[in-house]
Amino acid sequence: MLSPILHFISPPIPYFIDCGHATYTAGDYHINRNCIGVFDLIVVLKGTLPVGEDGKEWQLKEGEILILRPDGHHYGSAPCTGDTKIIWIHFQTFGSWKECESMDECLDNQSALIESHKQKAYLNHADVCSIYIPKHMKITAKAMEVLNLFFEQEQEPQSLRNWKRQASFQSFLQHLDRDLASPSDATAIQLAERIELYIRRNYTQDINNPLLQKELNYHSNYLAKSMLKAYGMTPMAYLQNYRVEQSKRLLLQTSWSVTRIAEEVGFHHVSHFSSCFSKKEGLSPSDFRSRFIRKR
């Protein structure tokens, strides 16, 4: 059965809190806890760990990862049958996240989750992205290498250790995020990242599907499928969304007129800009500015 996926919106990137080892002997149970307030990532190094969360149960074997929710009931679903060793990592995030049953569900809910995140994380005009982490998976050799750094850093002074563990944790999450993708998905995601980079570098210019097809040397239908897989929207939808996001920065950081801002971010007509902005934000550009900036 495919694993559920934990869908995080970033920034900020989910952050490391603490880590450690635990050892169980035959007859021991995993600890029973409810709503501990942090994500609990478990990696089994030896043996088998029976563990449950809110009625769902796993038999975690050597080399497997499971991420338990901060708002769930966690417990040993059965006693260990032999010596078992695990690594645990506690982490948390600030903003919005959701557990989904599939990548399709993640993409269907991506726009709503991003908007929720921007409100919770006070990132009204920030450029955000999705991080996808399997709830249950087999750890790769590369991810395990990064994981070992957490404990090699134990010999560092505390101030330096905390900085290094945060960096190691981000690298570890990146491996889990990329390991989720199949080879075909990975190719599509790499192409989508090229599209996204091209749009960000050229969003003030005239961009359309034929131009992207020429610049990236792929048919526009495949470009659209790749962007939908990685970002949940077509290249043209991403372009419009990115232009609106950049306009929000200018509305808050400059005293430029709405007409000038529309031109600066690539809209030819202020009426089209206002329509796109209102459709996305639920208020006009002028009302958005007034909401965050008080006149003296």
Side-chain angles (χ1 to χ4, degrees):
M1 184 177 69
L2 294 176
S3 169
I5 299 167
L6 294 166
H7 182 182
F8 298 94
I9 306 297
S10 170
I13 294 171
Y15 53 89
F16 169 84
I17 296 175
D18 197 8
C19 65
H21 289 87
T23 301
Y24 303 85
T25 58
D28 289 342
Y29 283 80
H30 179 65
I31 192 170
N32 189 325
R33 297 180 295 190
N34 191 44
C35 297
I36 64 173
V38 293
F39 291 92
D40 187 7
L41 187 153
I42 297 171
V43 184
V44 177
L45 301 179
K46 176 185 177 182
T48 301
L49 182 69
V51 63
E53 178 186 65
D54 296 331
K56 188 171 182 179
E57 299 179 355
W58 295 265
Q59 293 281 330
L60 298 181
K61 302 185 184 303
E62 182 177 329
E64 291 185 350
I65 293 175
L66 178 68
I67 302 176
L68 300 171
R69 298 166 55 117
D71 56 354
H73 175 211
H74 314 149
Y75 50 90
S77 55
C80 294
T81 56
D83 290 345
T84 300
K85 295 182 179 180
I86 70 167
I87 290 172
W88 56 266
I89 296 175
H90 288 167
F91 70 95
Q92 189 49 283
T93 190
F94 180 69
S96 293
W97 63 276
K98 183 178 177 65
E99 182 176 324
C100 300
E101 290 303 314
S102 66
M103 184 59 76
D104 287 342
E105 184 183 342
C106 288
L107 295 176
D108 288 344
N109 290 283
Q110 182 169 231
S111 296
L113 195 63
I114 285 174
E115 292 309 310
S116 169
H117 177 77
K118 287 186 175 183
Q119 297 303 314
K120 289 182 179 179
Y122 312 109
L123 300 172
N124 293 290
H125 58 285
D127 192 16
V128 300
C129 64
S130 292
I131 299 173
Y132 305 106
I133 308 295
K135 184 176 180 71
H136 177 218
M137 68 180 296
K138 183 83 172 177
I139 192 169
T140 64
K142 282 290 186 182
M144 194 66 207
E145 282 180 21
V146 177
L147 195 59
N148 288 331
L149 291 176
F150 283 91
F151 302 99
E152 292 177 9
Q153 290 158 356
E154 193 65 39
Q155 307 307 316
E156 300 277 3
Q158 184 180 30
S159 59
L160 193 59
R161 181 171 69 244
N162 289 340
W163 282 107
K164 287 189 173 182
R165 280 182 167 173
Q166 290 292 345
S168 296
F169 181 65
Q170 291 183 20
S171 178
F172 180 63
L173 283 187
Q174 187 175 26
H175 280 292
L176 298 187
D177 177 57
R178 290 305 173 93
D179 289 342
L180 175 64
S182 66
S184 61
D185 286 345
T187 300
I189 289 169
Q190 288 174 2
L191 177 57
E193 289 175 344
R194 289 177 58 199
I195 300 167
E196 188 262 352
L197 183 60
Y198 182 87
I199 288 173
R200 284 197 293 113
R201 287 176 172 172
N202 301 280
Y203 70 95
T204 61
Q205 309 301 315
D206 289 335
I207 298 177
N208 52 39
N209 284 321
L211 176 64
L212 289 176
Q213 181 171 322
K214 179 181 177 181
E215 292 291 332
L216 297 166
N217 201 28
Y218 283 93
H219 193 279
S220 57
N221 288 344
Y222 186 63
L223 296 178
K225 288 179 181 179
S226 297
M227 282 293 286
L228 283 166
K229 185 177 290 291
Y231 295 98
M233 61 185 79
T234 65
M236 292 302 98
Y238 185 90
L239 171 63
Q240 181 173 292
N241 184 74
Y242 190 76
R243 284 172 168 167
V244 169
E245 290 301 312
Q246 297 312 301
S247 75
K248 288 160 68 176
R249 293 175 183 267
L250 296 177
L251 286 164
L252 297 182
Q253 297 172 3
T254 75
S255 57
W256 294 350
S257 69
V258 171
T259 299
R260 179 178 176 182
I261 289 173
E263 293 171 351
E264 290 286 340
V265 299
F267 286 95
H268 292 301
H269 303 287
V270 67
S271 58
H272 183 217
F273 165 61
S274 296
S275 175
C276 293
F277 192 101
S278 298
K279 184 176 180 180
K280 182 176 184 298
E281 299 299 323
L283 68 171
S284 70
S286 297
D287 288 341
F288 176 86
R289 172 179 270 167
S290 299
R291 180 179 173 186
F292 292 98
I293 298 178
R294 292 183 179 178
K295 293 183 179 179
R296 292 182 179 180

